[in-house]
Amino acid sequence: MEWLVSLAGAGLVMVTLRDLFHTIWHPTRHGGLSRLVMTVLWRLARRFRARRRVVGLVGPLAMVTTVCMWAGTVILGWAVIYWPHMPGSFTFSSGSRAAQEPALLDSVYLSLVMVATLGLGDIAPDEGWLRLVSPLEALIGFALLTATVSWVLEIYPALTRRRVLAIRLALLRHSGTTTHQVDGTAGALLLHDLATEVVRVRIDFTQYAEAYYFHDGEDHSSLAAVIGYAATLARRGQAAKRPDVRLAGDLLVGALNDLATVLDQRFLHTDGTPADIFAAYAADHGRHV
């Protein structure tokens, strides 16, 4: 029975590590505990009256909640591993009153100490296999800290690329770009550059799905509010006389369709046209195209 309890704790740790791996290092997988946390927080935030203010906190709050979930389940899982063998398979420092505490409390305390890599030494494993296994928790704790830092450092460049594209589209819309202005070498380069930026954003939504739950704030930096104008520019490019401009327009249309597919499959689930998907994207972020 003791081994069954310990195996249950090991299973909880493995589920957490699997979710961490798929979220940070293999994010193309759908679902997962982290995605569930982010989706629930996003939907709850949209119900508040002060929607923009609340929704703007969802992205950072979801990341913090996810990291706390990972840490908490690792600590709990390892505590369950220790619990059936506490206190008989552990030694306690002289004068320590830890052995007088409930076994579960000592197990949680030891798990906290190990995952934080403190190594206080007042409780130490005495049985052979526990002496080999318990240092792994410290390694997992260090890996969790490193993964969290790298996750934060990776997500904000992705958000920057999305906002740069949004501001560029907003400026083009404000300038009133016409089909005649697009029908030239500069227009072909413009449409090609926009297609490249759209592809980058599409990859960001695939690699960093949590980026979807970050609200972009003002309309001119919100991709949800201006992505429809990229489709307008693409149609103008396709209607141009120069073949290089038409080719660039086709590239931009293809990039936008690919982006719409990713948004629909991973977040929106409308099964509509790209125009319908972008409208749903804008509505989900409180914008109008």
Side-chain angles (χ1 to χ4, degrees), residues 167-177 190 194 229 233:
I167 292 173
R168 189 177 186 187
L169 288 171
L171 291 173
L172 286 169
R173 184 173 63 181
H174 181 72
S175 67
T177 306
L190 171 65
L194 288 176
Y229 188 69
L233 289 174

Side-chain angles (χ1 to χ4, degrees), residues 90-100 120-124:
F90 293 84
T91 57
F92 299 82
S93 60
S94 58
S96 174
R97 300 180 59 184
Q100 301 174 15
L120 299 179
D122 52 343
I123 304 177

Side-chain angles (χ1 to χ4, degrees), residues 106 110 116 130 142 171:
D106 283 342
L110 177 61
L130 284 171
F142 181 75
L171 291 173

Side-chain angles (χ1 to χ4, degrees), residues 13 67-83 86 90 103-125 134-142 144-145:
V13 173
V67 172
C68 290
M69 177 192 69
W70 288 337
T73 49
V74 165
I75 292 168
L76 178 61
W78 227 274
V80 172
I81 293 175
Y82 299 143
W83 183 27
M86 184 73 69
F90 293 84
L104 181 58
L105 181 62
D106 283 342
S107 300
V108 173
Y109 165 74
L110 177 61
S111 184
L112 279 168
V113 169
M114 294 301 295
V115 82
T117 67
L118 293 177
L120 299 179
D122 52 343
I123 304 177
S134 58
L136 292 177
E137 186 177 8
L139 292 176
I140 290 174
F142 181 75
L144 179 60
L145 175 62

